[in-house]
């Protein structure tokens, strides 16, 4: 199988403009003859659904929450990047492009990333026009901050609630189209399968989460904007309902899954406090602008701390190891996420962790408070400090915060070409659900940018190219393919309900999460991954013979919802392990202990691994087939990342 | 901690429903309220009983999905969301009463889960600026004084949870509706449709069966985001000036 990424010819900076000119257009009067299904109403889905409806397409939008406004994008805190160069500090489309390629450790497509940087400026204009209240300077113009290791200030933000404000903007545009009758909303509805007819995506099967009804919806194109799969680790910063089900069902219908092992572990999260933990809370990365990361210099001091014999404030300056500042003098506390996370793991593995579990490091604002005063720090981070205190019971103005890395984002996802189409014609993937733009590591404030770029500014052009060529003949939702998929979904539901085993769904999810975190988390080895694979296979068998799903289908049944999701996570977990095992190099969020420089940095192997690993489902219980899309770099020179 | 939970159980929308008592033990003070309910649900599932259904998603206090009337207060004793409430706010041996939001416009779907789609319909009636994607001016061509931007932001932080409605003896949705109307009325982008927006959103609010506002202020006092009552005053002004000048009258 050969993957065609459909990257347009020509110089990098002209590709998108040329492509927009070359794509086929759907005549305005014909647009209303097309139906488009958009699954997901996060930044990617809401922006796509609204923009397509504005153009005249008939859209059906689905989400599993009770309202489209609650998609997980709402939780993003820090900000959104755009190459506006409003600060006159040397930013440009090219610099944002370059930073993203480099930050992604040279595992993303140049053409996609350049386009992302190019349309980033339009996103901010669009959001402001909608009334999104970004932070402003006293002169009334937009404020920016530097974020996540960028050396220019290109991040736009709305206090610590940027995702909320952007999503509410997209949701308002979506709501307007609902009022116009161009979008029909299906909240509390979960995608159960993707339906293909003659090789093309022609619809989906859903389950109504209130009544349990299994239904068919047909369309001329299907967009999956269903977010990331970080919850495969059980504990992550993702919302509780975030899942891989839509992408995974598409995968089993033939869509390739790309780079599934690339996961991002965010360095600044509140540490796990006990077995009851249901999710992890992110503390915005912006805190690293003023907070200093440290652990005690010796294991002895750390032990005393853990036993509660001393308080962090008792530890003298010379007994503190500001390890990021020590190892990376030029970036210090602002090194990229993967570097910061891995180093936290190292010092904790050495026994220098600072909380009861030994898995936490300090993020200390003492010096910033001395320098700028408590009021200034409160003005910048007050809501985050309050949230921290609410969750941990500690006052971060007086005691250093404790943080530890947690799973946060998944760079991998459905393989898409330059048009955001998967290898199944008519099936698109947008936002975190696709693998496209972040390579092996995503920069801070770039996911919001990508979701909105995909939805507002890419798909409205690229979908027309496909629709114009595929015609608007209607496929009825009682076509045999729909009936067949419906039956498969119903059988699967019946199967889950009939097992009546002994262990709850959460029990399996927690076990899967532990396997993934221990062997496919921050640091991976061939040995560990091989072990994990066997464990997951075993877990899968046990799940399908011993899971307990209570209640019936014909009602609101949260255990059944979870059971579907966890069953898919287990299968995805196995593929992630395969992908991590095959990639005999370290890059970005994928760190294989066997492949590191003498200083312990990720060691890439560009000669053998500068490709996208796309996996093809080969049937129940079969090993998946690896299809490679070589990455060709014509504009940037591949170098070893260095943040020293 | 050991606790007694008095929880509203209701099989579906047409079921009458009623309270049931449960005991949970070994609850840690560090648990969130919803994690405490997770413990109960694992316990119920182990015994083969239907778990208690409740809405939640982000568990970070931002998506607005969680609800729950706890000991007579929406989102419990603190001015925060239920998911951000921790068990250290309760005492060992306590009995905690947990109910769904109560309002005609929020029918109970099952146990503690209610239908808040009426809120979506209020936004659909006019909670937006009518701009299509593309063709908008450069973001910095619309300067906005920082004070106004900040105030609009404060109104825009509403998470659509519905606690204001649940707190109000009239089940009024004025605080929710006014937050959106205010945000857009303050910003230059919202001026063009200002009057029409207020009229339409308020009409929708009434059509959904929410009650009238009698200025009790319980909504704002219980709002996890501290949405201010000044928004309601502003909405009333907006509405008044809209109807006196409206072409629809
Ligand atoms: C705590 C946190 C903070 C973050 N902060 C930032 C930040 O500051 N800057 C930044 O750039 N990025 C940030 N990110 C990342 C960013 O928020 C996400 O990557 C991005 O919002 C994903 O958007 P999306 O539209 O792709 O998906 P989501 O917003 O996750 O939306 C998924 C949608 O799909 C629907 N869905 C999923 N599965 C199904 C199904 N089976 N059936 C039906 N519907 C389904 C859901 O209902 C939802 O509507 C943060 C992430 C987290 C977790
Ligand atoms: S106004 Fe407050 S209580 Fe009401 S929906 Fe908004 S956030 Fe919730
Ligand atoms: S679960 Fe999202 S606000 Fe409580």
């Amino acid at each position: 199988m050969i993957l065609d990424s459909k990257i347009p010819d020509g110089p990098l900076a002209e590709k998108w403009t040329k492509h927009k000119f070359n794509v086929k257009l759907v005549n305005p009067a014909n647009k209303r003859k097309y139906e488009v299904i958009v699954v997901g109403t996060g930044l990617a889905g809401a922006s796509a659904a609204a923009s397509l409806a504005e153009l005249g397409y008939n859209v059906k939008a689905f989400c599993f929450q009770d309202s489209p406004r609650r998609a997980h994008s709402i939780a993003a805190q820090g900000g959104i990047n755009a190459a506006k160069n409003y600060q006159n500090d040397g930013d440009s489309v090219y610099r944002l492009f370059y930073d993203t390629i480099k930050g992604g450790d040279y595992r993303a497509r140049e053409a996609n990333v350049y386009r992302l940087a190019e349309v980033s400026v339009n996103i901010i204009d669009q959001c402001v026009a909608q009334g999104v209240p970004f932070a402003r300077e006293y002169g009334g113009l937009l404020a920016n901050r530097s974020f996540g290791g960028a050396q220019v200030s290109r991040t736009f933000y709305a206090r610590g609630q940027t995702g909320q404000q952007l999503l509410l903007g997209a949701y308002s545009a979506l709501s307007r189209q609902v009022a116009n009758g161009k979008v029909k909303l299906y909240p509390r509805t979960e995608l159960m399968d993707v339906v293909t007819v003659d090789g093309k995506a022609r619809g989906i099967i859903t389950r109504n989460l209130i009544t349990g009804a299994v239904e068919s919806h047909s369309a001329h194109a299907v967009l999956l904007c269903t977010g990331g799969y970080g919850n495969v680790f059980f504990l992550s910063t993702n919302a509780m309902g975030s899942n891989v089900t839509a992408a995974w069902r598409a995968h089993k219908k033939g869509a390739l899954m790309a780079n599934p092992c690339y996961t991002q572990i965010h360095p600044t999260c509140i540490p796990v406090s006990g077995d009851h933990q249901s999710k992890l809370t992110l503390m915005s990365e912006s805190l690293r602008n003023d907070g200093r990361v440290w652990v005690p210099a010796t294991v002895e001091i750390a032990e005393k701390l853990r036993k509660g014999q001393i308080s962090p404030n008792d530890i003298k300056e010379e007994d503190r190891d500001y390890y990021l500042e020590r190892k990376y003098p030029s970036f210090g506390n602002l090194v990229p996420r993967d570097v910061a996370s891995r180093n936290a793991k190292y010092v904790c593995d050495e026994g220098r962790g600072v909380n009861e579990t030994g898995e936490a490091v300090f993020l200390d604002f003492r010096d910033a408070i001395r320098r700028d005063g408590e009021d200034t720090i409160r003005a910048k981070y007050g809501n985050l400090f309050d949230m921290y205190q609410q969750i941990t019971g500690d006052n971060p103005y007086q005691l250093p915060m404790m943080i530890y890395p947690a799973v946060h984002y998944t760079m991998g996802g459905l393989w898409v070409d330059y048009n955001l189409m998967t290898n199944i014609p008519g099936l698109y993937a947008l936002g975190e659900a696709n693998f496209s733009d972040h390579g092996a590591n995503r920069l801070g404030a770039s996911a919001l940018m990508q979701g909105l770029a995909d939805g507002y500014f890419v798909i409205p052009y690229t979908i027309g190219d496909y629709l114009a060529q595929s015609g608007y003949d209607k496929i009825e939702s009682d076509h045999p393919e729909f009936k067949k998929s419906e039956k498969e979904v119903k059988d699967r539901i019946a199967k889950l309900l009939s097992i009546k085993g002994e262990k709850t769904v959460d029990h399996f999810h927690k076990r899967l999460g532990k396997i993934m975190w221990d062997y496919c988390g921050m640091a991976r080895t061939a040995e560990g991954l091989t072990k994990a694979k066997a464990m997951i296979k075993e877990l899968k068998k046990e799940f399908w013979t011993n899971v307990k799903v209570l209640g019936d289908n014909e009602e609101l049944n949260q255990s059944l919802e979870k059971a579907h999701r966890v069953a898919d996570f287990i299968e995805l977990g196995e593929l992630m392990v395969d992908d991590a095992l095959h990639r005999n190099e370290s890059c970005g969020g994928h760190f294989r202990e066997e492949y590191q420089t003498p200083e312990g940095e990720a060691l890439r192997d560009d000669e053998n691994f500068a490709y996208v690993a796309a996996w093809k489902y080969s049937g129940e219980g079969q090993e998946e087939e690896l299809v490679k899309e070589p990455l060709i770099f014509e504009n940037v020179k591949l170098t070893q990342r260095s943040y020293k | 901690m050991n606790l007694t939970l008095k929880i509203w159980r209701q099989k579906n929308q047409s079921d009458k429903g009623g309270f049931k008592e449960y005991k949970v033990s070994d609850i840690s003070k560090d648990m969130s309220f919803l994690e405490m309910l997770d413990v109960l649900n694992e316990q119920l599932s182990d015994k083969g009983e239907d778990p208690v259904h409740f809405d939640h998603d982000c568990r970070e206090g931002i998506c607005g999905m969680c609800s729950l009337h706890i000991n007579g207060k929406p989102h419990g004793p603190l001015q925060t969301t239920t998911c951000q409430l921790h068990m250290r706010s309760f005492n060992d041996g306590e009995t905690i009463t947990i109910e769904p939001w109560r309002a005609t416009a929020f029918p109970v779907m099952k146990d503690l889960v209610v239908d808040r789609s009426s809120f979506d319909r209020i936004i659909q009636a006019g909670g937006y600026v009518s701009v299509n994607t593309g063709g908008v001016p450069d973001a910095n061509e619309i300067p906005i004084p920082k004070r106004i931007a900040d105030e609009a932001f404060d109104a825009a932080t509403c998470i659509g949870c519905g606690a204001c409605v649940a707190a109000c003896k009239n089940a009024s949705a004025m605080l929710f509706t006014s937050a959106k109307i205010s945000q857009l009325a303050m910003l230059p982008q919202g001026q063009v449709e200002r009057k029409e927006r207020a009229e339409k959103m308020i009409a929708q609010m009434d059509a959904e069966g929410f009650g009238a506002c009698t200025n009790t202020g319980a909504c704002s006092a219980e709002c996890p985001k501290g949405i201010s009552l000044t928004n309601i005053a502003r909405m009333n002004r907006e509405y008044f000036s809209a109807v006196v000048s409206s072409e629809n009258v």
Side-chain angles (χ1 to χ4, degrees):
Chain A
M1 180 176 192
I2 300 211
L3 283 175
D4 180 1
S5 59
K6 307 227 171 78
I7 295 172
D9 303 329
L12 186 63
E14 289 164 27
K15 283 182 196 286
W16 178 231
T17 310
K18 256 182 72 183
H19 189 63
K20 282 194 287 187
F21 178 72
N22 287 331
V23 293
K24 303 243 167 357
L25 300 177
V26 178
N27 160 337
N30 282 342
K31 289 204 176 88
R32 74 176 97 91
K33 295 178 183 156
Y34 289 97
E35 305 256 1
V36 180
I37 284 175
V38 180
V39 189
T41 59
L43 288 181
S47 59
S51 305
L52 294 176
E54 286 161 10
L55 288 172
Y57 297 110
N58 300 306
V59 176
K60 284 183 173 182
F62 297 80
C63 66
F64 66 76
Q65 292 91 346
D66 68 333
S67 162
R69 65 181 290 154
R70 307 203 202 283
H72 169 60
S73 295
I74 201 95
Q77 302 171 350
I80 176 167
N81 287 330
K84 281 283 197 189
N85 193 29
Y86 280 163
Q87 306 307 322
N88 194 28
D89 58 357
D91 200 12
S92 62
V93 168
Y94 196 85
R95 187 179 294 281
L96 176 53
F97 153 75
Y98 180 81
D99 287 355
T100 308
I101 288 279
K102 177 183 173 207
D105 224 355
Y106 307 96
R107 290 294 175 264
R109 274 186 209 138
E110 282 189 342
N112 283 59
V113 175
Y114 193 88
R115 174 179 66 191
L116 175 66
E118 201 177 336
V119 302
S120 68
V121 296
N122 305 113
I123 296 172
I124 303 303
D125 299 342
Q126 189 63 36
C127 296
V128 167
Q130 290 167 346
V132 169
F134 282 119
R136 288 181 182 264
E137 304 290 357
Y138 283 100
L141 301 184
L142 291 160
N144 289 116
R145 62 181 168 207
S146 136
F147 196 72
Q151 287 176 314
V152 290
S153 289
R154 62 161 77 100
T155 304
F156 294 78
Y157 62 100
R159 236 169 276 171
Q161 288 156 242
T162 317
Q164 180 196 30
Q165 294 309 317
L166 295 174
L167 183 60
L168 293 182
Y171 161 77
S172 73
L174 178 68
S175 299
R176 175 173 160 242
Q177 293 309 315
V178 174
N180 285 346
K182 293 305 289 182
V183 174
K184 181 149 171 44
L185 280 184
Y186 293 84
R188 293 204 200 263
T189 307
E190 182 137 346
L191 180 143
M192 292 277 108
D193 209 353
V194 173
V195 180
T196 58
V197 177
D198 302 330
K200 289 181 180 167
R202 296 311 298 251
I204 61 173
I205 309 290
T206 57
R207 179 172 178 272
N208 178 317
L209 299 182
I210 298 291
T211 64
V214 172
E215 287 159 343
S216 289
H217 300 271
S218 68
H220 297 94
V222 175
L223 276 49
L224 300 183
C225 314
T226 46
Y229 50 82
N231 278 348
V232 65
F233 289 87
F234 184 70
L235 286 181
S236 84
T237 62
N238 288 8
M240 301 297 287
S242 298
N243 67 86
V244 76
T245 290
W248 194 253
R249 301 295 164 90
H251 177 58
K252 289 177 101 169
K253 279 285 164 89
L256 302 194
M257 193 76 181
N259 301 331
C261 81
Y262 290 165
T263 36
Q264 179 164 83
I265 316 271
H266 196 290
T268 52
C269 301
I270 299 181
V272 175
S273 73
D275 287 338
H276 58 264
Q277 194 98 25
S278 60
K279 74 154 287 171
L280 295 169
T281 302
L282 177 81
M283 289 276 100
S284 169
E285 185 151 43
S286 59
L287 292 169
R288 285 201 278 147
N289 286 332
D290 285 299
R292 297 178 69 194
V293 177
W294 65 278
V295 288
T298 66
V299 176
E300 292 71 47
I301 304 177
E303 261 166 14
K304 282 194 194 148
L305 196 61
R306 288 198 291 268
K307 289 192 189 130
Q309 294 163 350
I310 52 170
S311 144
N313 292 335
D314 301 336
I315 300 175
K316 292 203 284 297
E317 203 53 32
E318 61 269 27
D319 291 332
R320 298 175 174 212
D321 179 11
Y322 295 93
Y323 56 91
L324 291 178
E325 297 172 23
R326 171 170 60 78
K327 288 172 76 172
Y328 308 95
S330 74
F331 279 71
N333 294 300
L334 293 176
V335 290
R337 293 177 174 176
D338 53 329
V339 179
S341 293
R342 214 155 41 239
N343 279 284
K345 176 176 164 28
Y346 290 151
V347 294
C348 291
D349 287 351
E350 284 165 28
R352 295 196 282 152
V354 298
N355 69 347
E356 276 170 39
T357 66
E359 294 199 330
V361 300
F362 288 130
L363 178 64
D364 200 341
F365 292 86
R366 184 193 65 181
D367 297 346
I369 290 174
R370 276 187 198 155
R371 184 186 65 220
D372 303 335
E374 193 169 312
D375 288 344
T376 309
I377 296 300
R378 179 167 287 121
K380 278 192 187 163
Y381 310 113
N383 62 335
L384 294 169
F385 277 42
D386 291 347
M387 183 154 98
Y388 180 85
Q389 184 160 10
Q390 178 62 241
I391 293 173
T392 63
D394 284 344
N395 178 350
Y397 294 100
Q398 281 154 17
L399 284 172
M401 279 186 183
M402 289 196 257
I403 53 162
Y404 199 66
V407 174
H408 178 58
Y409 183 86
T410 50
M411 281 74 70
L414 289 169
W415 182 89
V416 289
D417 63 18
Y418 188 72
N419 297 318
L420 304 181
M421 187 150 86
T422 67
N423 56 304
I424 298 178
L427 182 69
Y428 293 80
L430 280 65
E432 193 173 340
N434 73 26
F435 87 105
S436 64
D437 299 350
H438 308 293
N441 176 52
R442 173 175 72 77
L443 293 182
S446 285
L448 302 183
M449 167 172 74
Q450 183 225 330
L452 290 180
D454 288 359
Y456 284 135
F457 296 109
V458 179
I459 197 72
Y461 292 92
T462 60
I463 202 171
D465 193 42
Y466 170 75
L467 293 176
Q469 297 177 61
S470 68
Y472 41 78
D473 52 309
K474 197 166 161 57
I475 297 265
E476 296 301 334
S477 56
D478 54 7
H479 185 280
E481 285 298 331
F482 281 92
K483 290 293 147 212
K484 191 171 138 229
S485 286
E486 263 187 36
K487 177 162 185 317
E488 282 165 10
V489 168
K490 286 181 182 158
D491 288 350
R492 180 177 153 116
I493 293 171
K495 166 87 186 149
L496 283 168
L497 290 168
S498 70
I499 299 170
K500 299 198 189 316
E502 283 170 350
K503 300 282 193 235
T504 62
V505 178
D506 269 358
H507 165 90
F508 289 98
H509 197 181
K510 283 184 185 172
R511 272 171 61 195
L512 173 68
K514 180 147 172 48
I515 300 172
M516 297 306 292
W517 181 246
D518 287 348
Y519 301 109
C520 200
M522 270 188 282
R524 304 151 175 192
T525 63
E527 196 196 333
L529 289 163
T530 312
K531 196 164 144 195
K533 176 148 174 147
M535 289 168 85
I536 298 173
K537 275 191 188 302
E538 195 49 44
L539 189 74
K540 181 173 170 187
K541 227 192 285 160
E542 212 184 310
F543 177 90
W544 284 101
T545 49
N546 199 24
V547 73
K548 179 189 315 201
V549 186
L550 295 164
D552 300 315
N553 177 54
E554 288 71 30
E555 60 174 345
L556 177 55
N557 185 338
Q558 294 172 334
S559 357
L560 179 61
E561 291 167 29
K562 264 195 267 178
H564 279 291
R565 296 174 188 158
V566 171
D568 291 336
F569 276 138
I570 294 176
E571 295 183 3
L572 166 77
E574 192 180 333
L575 184 64
M576 287 171 70
V577 165
D578 283 338
D579 188 39
L581 188 58
H582 111 281
R583 192 167 276 281
N584 289 322
E585 64 162 350
S586 294
C587 56
H590 169 64
F591 191 78
R592 281 279 301 272
E593 287 186 2
E594 303 95 320
Y595 308 101
Q596 48 182 312
T597 65
E599 300 89 47
E601 301 302 329
L603 186 61
R604 283 199 328 266
D605 177 354
D606 294 330
E607 205 162 307
N608 295 303
F609 288 95
Y611 61 76
V612 176
W615 297 88
K616 185 168 181 292
Y617 182 74
S618 325
E620 184 62 37
Q622 306 285 312
E623 295 295 308
E624 299 216 357
E625 183 195 331
L626 172 64
V627 186
K628 298 177 185 176
E629 181 206 326
L631 288 168
I632 297 151
F633 294 90
E634 291 169 338
N635 300 277
V636 298
K637 202 170 135 276
L638 276 62
T639 56
Q640 198 68 41
R641 278 192 318 169
S642 168
Y643 293 93
K644 289 264 167 203
Chain B
M1 285 200 282
N2 299 321
L3 301 163
T4 306
L5 305 172
K6 243 180 91 185
I7 302 180
W8 183 264
R9 301 301 309 258
Q10 180 174 336
K11 202 147 176 42
N12 50 44
Q13 207 177 333
S14 44
D15 181 27
K16 246 181 77 216
F19 283 105
K20 246 189 117 167
E21 245 180 53
Y22 303 94
K23 300 243 183 263
V24 284
S25 46
D26 289 332
I27 297 298
S28 134
K29 297 223 170 251
D30 289 331
M31 277 183 195
S32 71
F33 195 83
L34 297 183
E35 285 169 348
M36 183 275 294
L37 288 181
D38 292 343
V39 170
L40 171 69
N41 277 344
E42 283 292 286
Q43 203 172 295
L44 291 177
S45 304
D46 280 338
K47 286 196 289 191
E49 286 180 45
D50 195 21
V52 177
H53 281 62
F54 57 89
D55 267 329
H56 64 107
D57 198 25
C58 74
R59 295 204 176 186
E60 283 191 15
I62 193 76
C63 73
M65 185 117 175
C66 63
S67 51
L68 308 192
H69 226 93
I70 303 167
N71 288 341
K73 288 187 145 221
H75 294 302
L78 304 181
Q79 204 181 1
T80 184
T81 56
T82 296
C83 61
Q84 291 296 91
L85 178 66
H86 284 71
M87 294 314 290
R88 65 181 79 86
S89 296
F90 298 87
N91 300 314
D92 188 26
E94 200 175 323
T95 298
I96 306 176
T97 308
I98 309 170
E99 287 177 81
W101 284 171
R102 304 281 188 196
T104 322
F106 290 165
V108 175
M109 309 303 283
K110 179 170 181 175
D111 296 341
L112 305 168
V113 174
V114 300
D115 178 358
R116 287 169 287 196
S117 52
S118 46
F119 269 13
D120 287 319
R121 290 187 293 271
I122 293 176
I123 300 294
Q124 286 155 20
Y128 41 75
V129 176
S130 298
V131 288
N132 284 352
T133 302
V136 297
D138 183 273
N140 261 351
E141 276 177 32
I142 315 176
I144 301 172
K146 182 168 163 43
R147 187 184 55 79
I148 299 211
D150 286 350
E151 225 180 304
F153 174 87
D154 287 339
T157 57
C158 162
I159 57 175
C161 63
C164 44
V165 175
C168 174
K169 61 181 178 8
N170 310 321
S172 160
M174 293 284 266
L175 194 64
F176 168 80
T177 311
S178 70
K180 186 49 75 184
I181 289 180
S182 281
Q183 176 203 341
L184 296 176
M186 279 185 272
L187 295 172
Q189 300 92 307
Q191 297 313 309
V192 177
E193 298 163 286
R194 188 168 168 177
K195 288 181 183 163
E196 209 186 325
R197 176 180 308 115
E199 276 183 307
K200 285 187 170 168
M201 288 179 72
I202 290 172
Q204 187 64 35
M205 182 181 84
D206 294 340
E208 295 290 347
F210 290 105
C213 172
T214 47
N215 286 316
T216 323
C219 51
S220 181
E222 299 294 345
C223 168
K225 298 292 141 179
I227 301 293
S228 152
L229 283 177
T230 55
N231 291 303
I232 297 187
R234 188 179 290 109
M235 175 168 88
N236 286 336
R237 282 199 304 276
E238 291 293 313
Y239 184 66
F240 185 69
S241 67
V243 284
V244 290
S245 65
S246 173
E247 291 118 41
N248 301 339
V249 281

